[in-house]
Amino acid sequence: MKSKWLVYAKKADFKAIEQKYGIDQVIARIMRNRDVCTDEEMQMYLNGSIDGLHAPELLKDAQKAVDILTEKIAQHKKIRIIGDYDIDGICSITILYKALKKAGADVDYVVPHRITDGYGINEHLIDNAAAEGKDTILTCDNGIAAIPQIQYAKEHGLTVIVTDHHDIPFTEENGEKKLLTSCADAIVDPKQPDCEYPFDKICGAVVAYKVMQILYEKLGLDKTDFKEYTELAAIATVGDVVDLKDENRVIVRQGLAWIATTKNTGLRALIDKSGISEAPSAFHLGYVLGPRINACGRVGEASLGNKLLCSRDDFQAGQLADKLNEFNAQRKEIEAYVLLSAIEMLEGTPQEYPIAFAAGKDWHQGVVGIVAGKLKERYNVPAFVMSIEPDEVKGSARSVPGVDLGALIIAAKEKGLLTKGGGHTMAAGFSLSEDKIEAFRRFAGEYVRQKLGEEDVAPVIEVDSALDLLGANTDFAAALELLEPFGAGNAEPKIVLEHVRIVKPGIVGAGHVRCFLTSGNGGSLKAMAFKIADTELGKTLLNSQGAVFDIAGVLRRDNWQGRNSVQFIIDDAIRCE
């Protein structure tokens, strides 16, 4: 499918910004493209610090939750943390567990098993907590939609505190949405409509982090512990793919700086076992460390992630890190099988709706989310992937701009098509009975068609700036690093190199195309396009025959083996007429 290039042209006095903040005008333009406009936003983007994060007390019920926790600690009541089995849940649990231990709490944690428990708090986990004499359940990265489960816990005499970041569930009456809420003793979720917190796009670990800030302040505890908690919040923020905007960007940037010299024994072991030999970047969090932490919840035992991050013994931490590496290797094999099966299913059948919708009986439910993401990238439509189990069907979905999956899933639940479900705008999880699969397919298909229309949705490449080839140098690549960390909501800047020729193209490695770019103004730039040799783009590059192109991609410094040069990573090419 042909890509569309969206060239940003947002207006601002870039010369004045350059003079005030001491940054290149192109860098100022890229920041403006990311809607960084006001002086406050500029300062946070360029110079934000942990001390300047939003006040945690603005989170509705955060102070109330801390008051309950401190009372329970003083009364020596038993507290149980119930999280989620993904990277955000694992990091959330670790922050709460370590912080409450420092506060003197009698606290433990339970990580639900993906297959036997499913997502979040359930009656089985509540029964276990009550039978083991627990007084209080503290949820993290789940709980906002567990209305009947929390009612069940209250009926059994348990105190329940919810910390979550997911959308508030709702029902529709006479065409109007009515938000639903549980009877929990305290609910901390920035998505609550009467919450005054100024930024609601934070992950579950950051919600937990904020609540523990209030606890530490109230009890006068040593705040240097938050160096480690910031590292964990950074990992969760990148791993849960929330936007690297506002305070999320600050947390990740500072967290990465501290991770480079982390004192967390388990995290240090995982870095070593993963073969990372440089200061970790957001890339390492998202594509090296994150998948390993996630893998234990996908194909292994989720609690191993917490055991690793809570370990103080080098030998034990090394063994656990090895285990996570093994789980990650298993996950890759399982994922490859399910992805290939889903592609064969989709491409072997005419598709009625602008969605990728696939289900299989031998598909491991631990990888359906990853496969949904890959299908979304391959076809550029919302993807729904399901594992058909003997008792129920468990699925995961990933979206494209214009389709709010959280709203879709809630609406499907209201129609009785799903038994469970929830999530974000771009990602969601759900459960249903096997006999509802076809009805859900039609519902999801019609919902997406209404949102996107009938025309094919072409991938969009958002271009930040055009650049002459001579300007693509080491100084400019170094200036771009000011904008790091890159990720969701703060993408690596896309640059267009205008009127260049492709020289010496050739295939290297596993279908990569390597070449050089030249222009009439002089100069030559090494370029690479990954895994595209058999695509339309790959064929265009390999058969360019001296034609002139505009090339879109990203400019990076190349420091391999002590080099001080740059290379261009190609995303797309348009032949100039």
Side-chain angles (χ1 to χ4, degrees), residues 172-419:
E172 288 193 15
E173 294 182 2
N174 300 321
E176 294 185 1
K177 290 183 178 179
K178 178 183 178 183
L179 296 178
L180 302 175
T181 187
S182 71
C183 58
D185 296 88
I187 302 173
V188 188
D189 186 328
K191 298 288 179 61
Q192 296 179 93
D194 52 350
C195 179
E196 297 180 358
Y197 202 73
F199 184 66
D200 67 358
K201 294 179 177 61
I202 54 179
C203 68
V206 171
V207 176
Y209 177 97
K210 295 285 182 176
V211 174
M212 292 301 97
Q213 280 185 311
I214 300 175
L215 179 75
Y216 265 58
E217 184 68 32
K218 181 171 184 175
L219 297 181
L221 301 177
D222 184 1
K223 295 179 183 178
T224 59
D225 293 336
F226 275 85
K227 182 176 181 179
E228 179 183 358
Y229 304 157
T230 303
E231 295 170 13
L232 295 169
I235 293 169
T237 296
V238 174
D240 211 41
V241 201
V242 295
D243 285 351
L244 297 187
K245 296 180 178 179
D246 202 272
E247 63 181 356
N248 288 339
R249 173 180 162 78
V250 176
I251 289 170
V252 173
R253 184 170 59 187
Q254 184 60 72
L256 282 168
W258 285 336
I259 287 171
T261 56
T262 184
K263 298 296 192 295
N264 184 298
T265 304
L267 181 55
R268 190 171 61 245
L270 188 61
I271 291 171
D272 292 341
K273 295 289 186 178
S274 300
I276 299 173
S277 58
E278 57 190 309
S281 65
F283 170 84
H284 293 111
L285 299 190
Y287 294 96
V288 182
L289 300 176
R292 286 163 169 78
I293 297 172
N294 257 330
C296 61
R298 293 188 185 280
V299 300
E301 179 188 343
S303 63
L304 291 183
N306 291 104
K307 290 177 182 177
L308 174 72
L309 294 174
C310 292
S311 177
R312 296 183 178 182
D313 179 83
D314 288 332
F315 179 74
Q316 180 197 47
Q319 287 186 314
L320 289 168
D322 282 335
K323 196 68 178 175
L324 264 60
N325 274 337
E326 292 174 15
F327 285 143
N328 194 47
Q330 293 175 26
R331 186 269 305 170
K332 289 180 180 179
E333 293 179 3
I334 295 168
E335 174 195 323
Y337 165 72
V338 175
L339 177 61
L340 180 59
S341 300
I343 290 172
E344 290 176 346
M345 182 181 296
L346 291 167
E347 296 186 358
T349 307
Q351 297 300 305
E352 180 182 0
Y353 299 108
I355 60 174
F357 193 94
K361 289 192 174 182
D362 60 344
W363 294 359
H364 195 296
Q365 62 183 260
V367 301
V368 294
I370 301 175
V371 172
K374 290 185 179 295
L375 294 178
K376 182 264 295 186
E377 292 172 1
R378 182 182 180 93
Y379 302 114
N380 201 49
V381 295
F384 302 78
V385 181
M386 287 143 284
S387 170
I388 302 173
E389 306 293 333
D391 55 340
E392 67 176 341
V393 178
K394 295 183 179 179
S396 190
R398 298 294 182 269
S399 194
V400 298
V403 179
D404 184 340
L405 280 181
L408 185 157
I409 295 300
I410 291 173
K413 281 174 63 180
E414 282 296 302
K415 289 188 172 295
L417 299 174
L418 304 177
T419 54

Side-chain angles (χ1 to χ4, degrees), residues 61-104:
D61 276 7
Q63 184 66 60
K64 182 179 180 181
V66 168
D67 291 343
I68 294 171
L69 288 170
T70 52
E71 182 180 353
K72 299 296 184 180
I73 293 169
Q75 295 173 352
H76 306 290
K77 300 293 187 181
K78 294 183 178 181
I79 301 169
R80 169 155 292 170
I81 302 165
I82 298 178
D84 186 21
Y85 39 66
D86 73 353
I87 188 170
D88 190 18
I90 290 169
C91 291
S92 301
I93 290 171
T94 305
I95 291 170
L96 292 175
Y97 177 73
K98 288 195 167 191
L100 288 170
K101 275 290 188 183
K102 287 291 183 73

